[in-house]
Amino acid sequence: MVAILLPGWRMFSSAEHYLALHNALEFFSVAVSAMVFALGWNLRRSASGGAFLWLGVFALAVAVIDLLHLLSYEGMPSLVTPSSPEKAINFWLAARLLTALCLLGLVFVPPRPWRAATAVGAVIAALATSAGVAWIGLFHADRLPSTFVPGEGVTAFKVAVEYGIAGLHALAAVLLLRTAVRQGRAAMVWLAAAAWVLGLTGLFFTVYVSVNDVHNFLGHAYKVVASIMFYKAVFAAGVQEPNAALERERALLRTMIDSVPDLISFKDVNGAYLGCNRAFSACYNLSEQSLVGRTDAELFGAGMQIAGDAQAGPVVTRLERHEEWVEGADGTMRLLDTLRIPFRGSDGKLLGEIDVSRDFTERRRIRDQIAEREKRLLMALQGASLGVWDWDIRQGGCCSVRCGRACSSGASRICRPGRRDLGGAGSSRRLGRYPGGTRAAPAR
């Protein structure tokens, strides 16, 4: 506000001397608007694609109109009609009005992605708007109100329009800041700051007398600052914030897979490793960095091929499960129960394979021990001509029988040579209900 009160002294002796600096400032703004459009268009399918595309299509129209403003500035060659301050002002006001409407409407635009037809239609509408502004400014400028009088400065109409646009920018800044506080998004703060600076930019253009005085220069300088803030907001929301969220998700996923005792690895479509977890590295005494980009054959030798997969590709195309014995880094043999899982992109294209192996060595050892003991028990029962039965309390019957002589597996009786049936329909004695478990047949 203090800068607006500065005296309107000329920074350059003539408009031609200021022309190069003015063009540089405007080219910068045009380039930023073009980058905002490129970002908005490429981010249109993201979760907040609607907001990005809204900013992008308006930035496209503003870029075209700002270019027309640059080409129409005093001292530039004729563009259809001779260049003049008033011709440049007409394009300037159109671009500033579109920017204010863009920022104001952003508060109310749903962030969800637009349909493809809607996105294309929005771009066509932006180009049609800029074409309409060009048609009016180049061919019908005489029908527009006067905005500048040489030697006197801007007209009352120009001042009123600039104040109105500045008010729209101020309103947009307040609404954007409120949205930023409610949603906790830093990008909205940058947009609110850009809207506020653009509002101040308009105030400089209410007091200048010459196109090369200090107020005109400060107005363009503030516009450059606002353009940087505008791009910073779009870049932060569209690139930095998603990348930060992705890094947090990757860190969480990495912590999860490293905390799992199972061996986990992932490969690309050529069978080259993309990474692994700590358990995998510890099992083979290999760091993750040393195996990335290398295949099983390169790491463990050409014989490292799953049985039956000699004709298969480097990765699976459907879920597979198998058991395999592998030699660990300490020389011990381990039995692994391995799942080979294909992973695909959102389009269904095969991207590689995820292998998850669980060490079953101890479980197999215990299972073999139990089987061996069962075998010995059965041999002992057969040698002693005894039987063992299990009573199911809920069903009220015998659920399994192991006996010394061949008998029906579903029979609810105890078999012993020389004894009659204890549980049959004609038995003289019925089996009692026991708390459950396994009991041996009572002796006579």
Side-chain angles (χ1 to χ4, degrees):
M1 297 300 295
V2 174
I4 296 176
L5 301 177
L6 291 175
W9 47 274
R10 294 189 177 186
M11 294 185 60
F12 301 91
S13 58
S14 64
E16 287 78 9
H17 294 161
Y18 174 53
L19 186 61
L21 179 58
H22 172 268
N23 288 350
L25 296 173
E26 286 296 334
F27 267 124
F28 181 85
S29 298
V30 171
V32 169
S33 296
M35 289 189 291
V36 169
F37 166 71
L39 275 175
W41 180 257
N42 288 292
L43 294 171
R44 68 188 185 278
R45 296 188 180 93
S46 63
S48 301
F52 290 126
L53 194 57
W54 174 269
L55 292 172
V57 295
F58 271 92
L60 176 62
V62 170
V64 174
I65 297 173
D66 274 345
L67 185 61
L68 292 172
H69 164 76
L70 183 153
L71 297 175
S72 301
Y73 206 75
E74 185 178 1
M76 292 293 290
S78 298
L79 177 65
V80 180
T81 56
S83 300
S84 66
E86 195 159 14
K87 180 181 177 183
I89 288 173
N90 292 334
F91 291 122
W92 168 272
L93 292 177
R96 300 290 67 76
L97 179 60
L98 283 177
T99 304
L101 295 177
C102 169
L103 294 172
L104 196 58
L106 180 64
V107 180
F108 307 100
V109 171
R112 62 177 179 271
W114 295 357
R115 293 181 300 176
T118 305
V120 173
V123 173
I124 294 175
L127 294 174
T129 300
S130 57
V133 171
W135 180 72
I136 295 174
L138 295 177
F139 298 100
H140 302 282
D142 55 329
R143 300 182 180 180
L144 299 175
S146 177
T147 56
F148 184 83
V149 178
E152 297 182 9
V154 294
T155 64
F157 172 78
K158 167 73 158 55
V159 172
V161 173
E162 289 284 10
Y163 275 123
I165 295 176
L168 291 177
H169 278 116
L171 178 60
V174 172
L175 294 177
L176 288 169
L177 183 60
R178 188 180 66 175
T179 303
V181 172
R182 185 173 62 250
Q183 298 180 357
R185 298 188 61 182
M188 285 293 187
V189 176
W190 282 108
L191 284 177
W196 188 260
V197 173
L198 284 173
L200 296 178
T201 298
L203 298 182
F204 284 108
F205 290 100
T206 63
V207 295
Y208 75 95
V209 177
S210 173
V211 294
N212 57 331
D213 69 9
V214 64
H215 295 116
N216 190 291
F217 166 75
L218 289 175
H220 284 89
Y222 269 56
K223 180 189 173 186
V224 169
V225 173
S227 298
I228 296 174
M229 292 178 175
F230 200 92
Y231 181 77
K232 171 68 176 177
V234 177
F235 186 78
V239 180
Q240 291 179 331
E241 289 181 4
N243 282 343
L246 180 61
E247 286 299 322
R248 290 193 297 270
E249 188 172 332
R250 290 181 62 182
L252 174 62
L253 179 61
R254 188 73 214 187
T255 303
M256 291 175 61
I257 67 172
D258 280 340
S259 64
V260 173
D262 295 341
L263 280 61
I264 302 176
S265 62
F266 16 97
K267 307 173 184 177
D268 62 18
V269 290
N270 298 316
Y273 281 93
L274 299 173
C276 67
N277 68 341
R278 290 179 182 174
F280 189 96
S281 297
C283 178
Y284 297 106
N285 195 26
L286 290 170
S287 66
E288 185 176 10
Q289 291 75 15
S290 64
L291 62 83
V292 171
R294 303 169 68 182
T295 63
D296 284 329
E298 295 172 340
L299 289 169
F300 308 109
M304 189 66 179
Q305 186 82 29
I306 299 172
D309 277 9
Q311 303 299 324
V315 296
V316 297
T317 56
R318 57 185 177 85
L319 178 68
E320 291 186 5
R321 183 174 184 175
H322 63 271
E323 292 184 353
E324 55 183 342
W325 286 95
V326 300
E327 183 179 359
D330 55 358
T332 60
M333 298 301 294
R334 299 185 180 187
L335 177 63
L336 300 181
D337 181 28
T338 300
L339 279 175
R340 302 179 68 191
I341 310 165
F343 71 94
R344 304 178 183 273
S346 57
D347 57 353
K349 182 180 179 181
L350 182 66
L351 300 179
E353 170 184 309
I354 300 174
D355 295 344
V356 182
S357 300
R358 178 162 294 180
D359 192 341
F360 266 32
T361 308
E362 185 64 18
R363 186 175 298 183
R364 172 62 68 87
R365 185 184 66 81
I366 295 174
R367 189 174 68 183
D368 289 346
Q369 287 180 352
I370 294 174
E372 180 64 23
R373 291 175 181 176
E374 289 281 343
K375 182 179 179 181
R376 292 182 180 182
L377 176 61
L378 183 59
M379 292 175 62
L381 291 173
Q382 290 175 344
S385 296
L386 294 174
V388 179
W389 55 272
D390 296 315
W391 186 264
D392 189 333
I393 298 177
R394 294 184 178 180
Q395 298 296 329
C398 189
C399 58
S400 65
V401 176
R402 286 167 290 178
C403 49
R405 63 168 56 181
C407 61
S408 174
S409 62
S412 57
R413 62 176 179 253
I414 303 173
C415 300
R416 183 177 181 182
R419 295 188 60 181
R420 65 178 179 175
D421 193 349
L422 295 177
S427 65
S428 59
R429 176 184 174 190
R430 293 189 177 274
L431 295 176
R433 291 179 178 266
Y434 295 96
T438 302
R439 294 178 61 88
R444 288 269 181 186

